Amino acid sequence: MHARPPRGHRTVPHTADVRVEAWAADREGCLAEGVTALVATFVDATGVRPDGEAVFAVPPGDDADLLVGVLDEVIFRLETAGTLPLRGEVQATDDGGLRVRWWTTGTDRVELVGAVPKAVSLHELRFGPDGPGWSCAVTLDV
């Protein structure tokens, strides 16, 4: 069996929707990798350079709520502004929330390769410490 890299993501089989797993050395890195995993389920952005930037705050909550808040924001901006994060960073704030910064592009600049997610399912949601780092698993309703 191969050891997984220190940071990454993958799609795992699911009967009706899309399920992704992500991992990183720390909580904030895992959140950022979860965003990358979500976007990779439905677009190919190979070679696309960011042409925009977005910064937003996620209010304080438990870890699972923070994960859902960040992923819901991806879906919201996709539906309302036609933008997607190509890469990003997540920082914890003193009040227990998050500050998220994305470098974005328009949906017209990427190739659609899968079903567009409509929502983050709370069913079987997992996010927390995992061995030497953090991991999450999320089902996306498509």
Side-chain angles (χ1 to χ4, degrees):
M1 182 171 206
H2 298 283
R4 73 180 186 193
R7 181 172 175 151
H9 63 272
R10 68 182 181 157
T11 303
V12 294
H14 191 271
T15 53
D17 295 309
V18 175
R19 186 149 173 92
V20 295
E21 295 178 347
W23 59 89
D26 57 26
R27 182 182 76 152
E28 290 75 18
C30 189
L31 287 161
E33 195 64 35
V35 170
T36 301
L38 181 154
V39 172
T41 66
F42 68 99
V43 299
D44 179 2
T46 304
V48 177
R49 294 175 145 304
D51 57 7
E53 186 176 318
V55 177
F56 67 95
V58 178
D62 66 27
D63 291 328
D65 289 340
L66 296 173
L67 174 63
V68 172
V70 171
L71 298 180
D72 277 346
E73 189 71 19
V74 175
I75 295 168
F76 174 76
R77 290 175 187 248
L78 169 67
E79 293 174 348
T80 62
T83 61
L84 289 170
L86 294 177
R87 60 183 165 77
E89 59 186 32
V90 179
Q91 297 174 328
T93 58
D94 291 340
D95 67 356
L98 300 171
R99 180 184 181 275
V100 181
R101 182 177 180 193
W102 286 332
W103 290 270
T104 63
T105 193
T107 54
D108 59 337
R109 298 188 59 219
V110 296
E111 180 183 350
L112 186 67
V113 295
V116 177
K118 301 297 179 199
V120 177
S121 173
L122 301 180
H123 182 68
E124 297 183 343
L125 178 76
R126 179 177 51 78
F127 182 47
D130 182 14
W134 280 68
S135 70
C136 65
V138 179
T139 302
L140 304 168
D141 296 334
V142 293

